[in-house]
Amino acid sequence: MSTYAIGDLQGCLDPLKALLDRIHFDPAKDRLWFVGDLVNRGPQSLEALRFVRDLGDSAITVLGNHDLFLLACAFTDKSPKPGDTLDDILQAPDRDELIDWLRNLPLIHYDATLNWTLVHAGIPPAWDIPMAMAQAKMAQKALRQSDPMPFFTAMFGEHPPYWSESMSKTMKIRYTINALTRMRYCTTDGRLDLKEKRPLDEVSPDLIPWFDMPRRASRDARIVYGHWSSLGEARDRRKTWGIDQGCLWGRELTALHLDTRPATVISEPCPCYRELGKHGG
Protein backbone atom coordinates (compact mmCIF):
# COMPACT_ATOMS: atom_id res chain seq x y z
CA MET A 1 0.00 0.00 0.00
CA SER A 2 1.21 3.51 -0.83
CA THR A 3 0.10 6.78 0.77
CA TYR A 4 0.25 10.05 -1.17
CA ALA A 5 -0.44 13.55 0.15
CA ILE A 6 -2.08 15.79 -2.46
CA GLY A 7 -1.78 19.59 -2.60
CA ASP A 8 -4.61 22.14 -2.70
CA LEU A 9 -7.18 21.35 -5.43
CA GLN A 10 -9.28 24.52 -5.16
CA GLY A 11 -11.79 23.21 -7.67
CA CYS A 12 -9.25 21.80 -10.16
CA LEU A 13 -10.37 18.21 -10.74
CA ASP A 14 -8.86 17.43 -14.15
CA PRO A 15 -5.25 17.87 -12.93
CA LEU A 16 -6.04 15.57 -10.00
CA LYS A 17 -7.27 12.83 -12.31
CA ALA A 18 -4.13 13.21 -14.45
CA LEU A 19 -1.93 13.06 -11.35
CA LEU A 20 -3.66 9.92 -10.08
CA ASP A 21 -3.02 8.31 -13.47
CA ARG A 22 0.67 9.22 -13.18
CA ILE A 23 1.06 7.58 -9.78
CA HIS A 24 -1.08 4.58 -10.85
CA PHE A 25 -3.40 5.14 -7.91
CA ASP A 26 -5.34 2.02 -6.93
CA PRO A 27 -8.18 2.79 -4.47
CA ALA A 28 -8.23 -0.85 -3.39
CA LYS A 29 -4.75 -0.63 -1.87
CA ASP A 30 -3.47 2.97 -1.93
CA ARG A 31 -4.46 5.94 0.22
CA LEU A 32 -4.67 9.67 -0.54
CA TRP A 33 -4.22 12.47 2.00
CA PHE A 34 -5.71 15.79 0.88
CA VAL A 35 -4.31 18.91 2.56
CA GLY A 36 -7.64 20.75 2.32
CA ASP A 37 -9.03 23.54 0.14
CA LEU A 38 -10.80 21.07 -2.11
CA VAL A 39 -12.98 23.89 -3.42
CA ASN A 40 -13.14 27.49 -4.58
CA ARG A 41 -11.77 29.68 -7.36
CA GLY A 42 -11.19 26.78 -9.76
CA PRO A 43 -13.82 25.75 -12.34
CA GLN A 44 -14.75 22.32 -10.90
CA SER A 45 -15.48 22.92 -7.22
CA LEU A 46 -18.66 20.82 -7.17
CA GLU A 47 -17.09 18.01 -9.19
CA ALA A 48 -13.91 18.00 -7.06
CA LEU A 49 -15.92 17.84 -3.83
CA ARG A 50 -18.01 14.93 -5.11
CA PHE A 51 -14.95 13.11 -6.44
CA VAL A 52 -13.02 13.24 -3.16
CA ARG A 53 -16.12 12.39 -1.12
CA ASP A 54 -16.73 9.35 -3.32
CA LEU A 55 -13.20 8.04 -2.69
CA GLY A 56 -14.54 6.89 0.67
CA ASP A 57 -12.06 5.11 2.91
CA SER A 58 -9.25 5.43 0.37
CA ALA A 59 -8.91 9.15 1.16
CA ILE A 60 -8.37 11.29 4.24
CA THR A 61 -9.04 15.02 3.97
CA VAL A 62 -8.47 17.85 6.44
CA LEU A 63 -10.37 21.11 6.26
CA GLY A 64 -8.82 24.20 4.70
CA ASN A 65 -9.83 27.83 4.96
CA HIS A 66 -11.79 27.73 1.67
CA ASP A 67 -13.66 24.63 2.78
CA LEU A 68 -14.59 26.38 6.03
CA PHE A 69 -15.76 29.45 4.11
CA LEU A 70 -18.06 27.22 2.04
CA LEU A 71 -19.51 25.85 5.29
CA ALA A 72 -20.02 29.39 6.57
CA CYS A 73 -21.91 30.26 3.38
CA ALA A 74 -24.09 27.18 3.88
CA PHE A 75 -24.93 27.81 7.55
CA THR A 76 -24.80 31.61 7.97
CA ASP A 77 -25.63 34.75 6.02
CA LYS A 78 -22.15 34.82 4.48
CA SER A 79 -22.16 34.93 0.67
CA PRO A 80 -19.52 33.87 -1.87
CA LYS A 81 -17.18 36.67 -2.88
CA PRO A 82 -16.56 37.83 -6.46
CA GLY A 83 -14.37 35.21 -8.12
CA ASP A 84 -15.51 32.40 -5.81
CA THR A 85 -16.85 29.22 -7.40
CA LEU A 86 -19.11 27.96 -4.63
CA ASP A 87 -22.58 28.64 -6.06
CA ASP A 88 -22.75 25.31 -7.90
CA ILE A 89 -22.26 23.51 -4.59
CA LEU A 90 -24.72 25.68 -2.66
CA GLN A 91 -27.37 25.11 -5.35
CA ALA A 92 -26.65 21.42 -6.00
CA PRO A 93 -29.39 18.81 -5.45
CA ASP A 94 -27.02 16.92 -3.15
CA ARG A 95 -25.90 20.08 -1.34
CA ASP A 96 -26.98 18.87 2.11
CA GLU A 97 -25.12 15.57 1.78
CA LEU A 98 -21.96 17.32 0.60
CA ILE A 99 -22.09 19.94 3.33
CA ASP A 100 -22.69 17.31 6.00
CA TRP A 101 -19.75 15.24 4.74
CA LEU A 102 -17.51 18.31 4.67
CA ARG A 103 -18.27 19.51 8.17
CA ASN A 104 -17.45 16.09 9.59
CA LEU A 105 -13.90 16.18 8.25
CA PRO A 106 -11.05 16.72 10.73
CA LEU A 107 -8.80 19.75 11.04
CA ILE A 108 -5.71 17.59 11.54
CA HIS A 109 -4.76 13.95 11.03
CA TYR A 110 -1.88 12.00 12.58
CA ASP A 111 -0.78 8.53 11.52
CA ALA A 112 1.47 6.85 14.10
CA THR A 113 2.49 4.06 11.72
CA LEU A 114 3.65 6.45 8.99
CA ASN A 115 4.76 9.05 11.56
CA TRP A 116 3.28 11.87 9.48
CA THR A 117 0.86 14.66 10.43
CA LEU A 118 -1.53 16.19 7.87
CA VAL A 119 -2.83 19.76 8.31
CA HIS A 120 -3.87 22.56 5.97
CA ALA A 121 -1.60 25.43 7.03
CA GLY A 122 0.69 24.30 9.85
CA ILE A 123 1.14 23.79 13.58
CA PRO A 124 1.59 26.95 15.70
CA PRO A 125 4.97 27.22 17.45
CA ALA A 126 3.66 26.71 20.99
CA TRP A 127 1.93 23.39 20.21
CA ASP A 128 3.25 19.88 19.88
CA ILE A 129 1.19 17.35 17.92
CA PRO A 130 -0.88 16.08 20.91
CA MET A 131 -1.76 19.68 21.81
CA ALA A 132 -2.76 20.43 18.21
CA MET A 133 -4.91 17.29 18.11
CA ALA A 134 -6.64 18.22 21.37
CA GLN A 135 -7.46 21.78 20.31
CA ALA A 136 -8.61 20.61 16.87
CA LYS A 137 -10.92 18.09 18.53
CA MET A 138 -12.59 20.88 20.54
CA ALA A 139 -13.14 22.98 17.40
CA GLN A 140 -14.39 19.98 15.41
CA LYS A 141 -16.91 19.16 18.13
CA ALA A 142 -18.33 22.69 17.91
CA LEU A 143 -18.55 22.49 14.10
CA ARG A 144 -20.39 19.15 14.23
CA GLN A 145 -23.08 20.22 16.69
CA SER A 146 -26.67 20.25 15.47
CA ASP A 147 -26.44 24.04 15.70
CA PRO A 148 -22.96 25.04 14.45
CA MET A 149 -23.61 28.78 14.77
CA PRO A 150 -21.42 29.14 17.91
CA PHE A 151 -18.54 27.71 15.85
CA PHE A 152 -19.00 30.22 13.03
CA THR A 153 -19.41 33.05 15.54
CA ALA A 154 -16.02 32.07 16.92
CA MET A 155 -14.34 31.44 13.57
CA PHE A 156 -14.10 34.90 12.03
CA GLY A 157 -11.54 37.42 13.27
CA GLU A 158 -7.79 37.71 13.69
CA HIS A 159 -7.73 38.22 17.46
CA PRO A 160 -6.11 36.70 19.47
CA PRO A 161 -2.79 36.44 17.60
CA TYR A 162 -1.14 34.37 20.34
CA TRP A 163 -1.98 31.25 22.35
CA SER A 164 -2.96 31.35 26.02
CA GLU A 165 -4.53 28.63 28.17
CA SER A 166 -6.51 31.37 29.93
CA MET A 167 -8.47 32.32 26.81
CA SER A 168 -12.20 31.65 26.55
CA LYS A 169 -13.42 28.64 24.56
CA THR A 170 -14.56 30.98 21.77
CA MET A 171 -11.10 32.53 21.48
CA LYS A 172 -9.44 29.12 21.61
CA ILE A 173 -11.57 27.93 18.69
CA ARG A 174 -10.75 31.06 16.70
CA TYR A 175 -7.03 30.72 17.34
CA THR A 176 -7.17 27.03 16.41
CA ILE A 177 -8.88 27.72 13.10
CA ASN A 178 -6.52 30.58 12.28
CA ALA A 179 -3.43 28.57 13.14
CA LEU A 180 -4.35 25.29 11.47
CA THR A 181 -5.96 26.72 8.32
CA ARG A 182 -4.60 30.25 7.73
CA MET A 183 -1.12 30.59 9.25
CA ARG A 184 2.04 31.20 7.23
CA TYR A 185 4.26 33.60 9.15
CA CYS A 186 4.77 34.43 12.82
CA THR A 187 6.38 37.44 14.42
CA THR A 188 9.59 36.99 16.37
CA ASP A 189 7.62 36.90 19.63
CA GLY A 190 5.32 34.11 18.35
CA ARG A 191 2.21 36.03 17.25
CA LEU A 192 0.40 34.86 14.11
CA ASP A 193 0.61 37.18 11.10
CA LEU A 194 -2.41 36.28 8.96
CA LYS A 195 -2.03 38.97 6.30
CA GLU A 196 1.35 38.32 4.69
CA LYS A 197 1.34 35.94 1.70
CA ARG A 198 4.46 36.96 -0.20
CA PRO A 199 7.50 34.70 -0.76
CA LEU A 200 10.17 34.43 1.92
CA ASP A 201 12.60 36.81 0.20
CA GLU A 202 10.02 39.63 -0.03
CA VAL A 203 8.86 39.94 3.58
CA SER A 204 10.09 41.86 6.60
CA PRO A 205 12.88 40.21 8.63
CA ASP A 206 10.54 40.56 11.60
CA LEU A 207 8.42 37.75 10.11
CA ILE A 208 9.47 34.10 10.36
CA PRO A 209 7.86 31.10 8.61
CA TRP A 210 6.06 29.06 11.26
CA PHE A 211 8.29 26.04 10.58
CA ASP A 212 11.45 28.12 11.22
CA MET A 213 10.36 29.45 14.61
CA PRO A 214 13.00 28.85 17.31
CA ARG A 215 12.10 26.11 19.81
CA ARG A 216 9.00 25.14 17.82
CA ALA A 217 7.26 22.50 19.93
CA SER A 218 6.49 20.25 16.90
CA ARG A 219 10.04 20.40 15.53
CA ASP A 220 10.54 16.63 15.77
CA ALA A 221 7.33 15.80 13.86
CA ARG A 222 7.03 15.23 10.13
CA ILE A 223 4.27 17.49 8.81
CA VAL A 224 2.73 17.83 5.35
CA TYR A 225 0.58 20.88 4.57
CA GLY A 226 -0.72 23.12 1.79
CA HIS A 227 -2.08 26.69 1.79
CA TRP A 228 1.18 28.43 0.84
CA SER A 229 1.45 28.54 -2.96
CA SER A 230 4.18 31.21 -2.89
CA LEU A 231 6.49 29.11 -0.69
CA GLY A 232 8.28 27.63 -3.69
CA GLU A 233 9.70 24.18 -4.30
CA ALA A 234 8.12 21.27 -2.44
CA ARG A 235 11.03 20.10 -0.28
CA ASP A 236 11.98 19.21 3.26
CA ARG A 237 11.95 22.32 5.47
CA ARG A 238 12.81 21.22 9.02
CA LYS A 239 10.78 18.00 8.58
CA THR A 240 7.84 19.92 7.07
CA TRP A 241 6.69 19.72 3.46
CA GLY A 242 4.53 22.44 1.89
CA ILE A 243 2.88 20.95 -1.21
CA ASP A 244 0.59 23.72 -2.46
CA GLN A 245 2.37 24.30 -5.76
CA GLY A 246 -0.20 26.73 -7.18
CA CYS A 247 -2.23 24.47 -9.46
CA LEU A 248 -4.96 27.10 -9.51
CA TRP A 249 -2.44 29.66 -10.76
CA GLY A 250 -1.25 27.53 -13.67
CA ARG A 251 1.70 25.85 -12.02
CA GLU A 252 1.53 22.26 -10.70
CA LEU A 253 -0.54 19.87 -8.62
CA THR A 254 1.80 17.90 -6.37
CA ALA A 255 1.67 14.50 -4.71
CA LEU A 256 4.11 13.60 -1.94
CA HIS A 257 4.79 9.87 -1.56
CA LEU A 258 4.90 9.51 2.22
CA ASP A 259 6.21 5.93 2.34
CA THR A 260 9.59 6.66 0.72
CA ARG A 261 12.71 7.92 2.54
CA PRO A 262 13.10 10.71 1.75
CA ALA A 263 9.56 11.51 0.66
CA THR A 264 9.19 11.66 -3.13
CA VAL A 265 7.54 14.50 -5.06
CA ILE A 266 5.43 13.79 -8.16
CA SER A 267 3.86 16.75 -9.95
CA GLU A 268 1.38 17.30 -12.77
CA PRO A 269 1.31 20.52 -14.85
CA CYS A 270 -1.90 22.52 -14.50
CA PRO A 271 -3.72 24.80 -16.92
CA CYS A 272 -3.81 28.41 -15.80
CA TYR A 273 -7.24 29.01 -14.30
CA ARG A 274 -6.35 32.34 -12.71
CA GLU A 275 -4.04 35.21 -13.51
CA LEU A 276 -1.06 35.17 -11.15
CA GLY A 277 -1.66 38.61 -9.69
CA LYS A 278 -1.85 37.61 -6.04
CA HIS A 279 -0.07 34.79 -4.26
CA GLY A 280 -3.07 32.55 -3.75
CA GLY A 281 -4.35 31.07 -0.51
Side-chain angles (χ1 to χ4, degrees):
M1 185 177 80
S2 292
T3 302
Y4 298 91
I6 308 291
D8 302 38
L9 299 184
Q10 290 200 244
C12 302
L13 178 57
D14 289 342
L16 172 63
K17 290 181 175 179
L19 182 58
L20 296 186
D21 286 343
R22 284 197 61 193
I23 64 176
H24 306 292
F25 171 66
D26 181 350
K29 63 178 183 177
D30 298 329
R31 296 294 177 266
L32 302 177
W33 286 16
F34 289 92
V35 300
D37 278 3
L38 300 180
V39 302
N40 208 13
R41 298 181 178 172
Q44 299 167 298
S45 286
L46 174 59
E47 294 85 353
L49 193 60
R50 286 173 173 161
F51 183 88
V52 176
R53 188 269 312 269
D54 290 346
L55 288 170
D57 292 340
S58 62
I60 292 170
T61 305
V62 293
L63 289 166
N65 54 305
H66 285 284
D67 307 316
L68 287 169
F69 182 67
L70 168 60
L71 290 173
C73 290
F75 284 105
T76 74
D77 60 358
K78 293 279 184 182
S79 298
K81 303 170 186 175
D84 286 344
T85 56
L86 301 177
D87 285 338
D88 284 352
I89 301 170
L90 295 170
Q91 297 167 11
D94 54 346
R95 161 200 158 125
D96 291 347
E97 292 86 349
L98 291 168
I99 293 299
D100 188 62
W101 174 78
L102 194 64
R103 77 164 173 149
N104 280 282
L105 296 179
L107 288 160
I108 187 172
H109 173 72
Y110 170 67
D111 187 302
T113 301
L114 287 174
N115 192 26
W116 276 98
T117 299
L118 172 70
V119 69
H120 181 61
I123 308 295
W127 293 359
D128 59 15
I129 300 303
M131 181 68 168
M133 296 287 290
Q135 296 306 315
K137 184 177 181 180
M138 179 176 71
Q140 289 159 195
K141 183 178 179 181
L143 176 58
R144 296 168 185 174
Q145 292 179 130
S146 57
D147 177 12
M149 283 304 296
F151 172 87
F152 292 111
T153 300
M155 189 177 89
F156 291 100
E158 299 187 359
H159 180 81
Y162 54 85
W163 173 253
S164 170
E165 287 285 1
S166 64
M167 291 190 296
S168 68
K169 180 179 178 180
T170 295
M171 291 298 100
K172 286 181 177 179
I173 290 174
R174 180 177 296 168
Y175 181 89
T176 297
I177 296 302
N178 285 339
L180 299 184
T181 72
R182 297 180 61 199
M183 175 181 65
R184 294 183 182 91
Y185 292 101
C186 298
T187 60
T188 53
D189 61 357
R191 290 177 291 121
L192 305 184
D193 183 297
L194 301 174
K195 298 183 183 299
E196 186 59 79
K197 296 183 178 182
R198 290 177 297 169
L200 306 181
D201 59 357
E202 296 181 18
V203 303
S204 164
D206 295 329
L207 294 180
I208 303 173
W210 66 267
F211 48 79
D212 276 337
M213 286 294 291
R215 298 178 297 281
R216 176 169 58 89
S218 63
R219 60 188 175 274
D220 293 328
R222 293 192 299 172
I223 302 167
V224 60
Y225 56 98
H227 186 59
W228 201 341
S229 63
S230 67
L231 186 57
E233 178 189 5
R235 60 178 176 85
D236 188 340
R237 292 177 169 87
R238 302 185 187 275
K239 298 185 180 180
T240 79
W241 289 76
I243 60 169
D244 178 6
Q245 296 294 285
C247 180
L248 177 71
W249 310 102
R251 296 198 289 265
E252 295 176 323
L253 181 65
T254 291
L256 186 68
H257 193 183
L258 302 180
D259 306 278
T260 58
R261 300 289 184 273
T264 307
V265 175
I266 308 101
S267 296
E268 178 68 23
C270 296
C272 186
Y273 291 123
R274 289 297 176 103
E275 292 295 327
L276 190 57
K278 296 186 178 180
H279 294 292

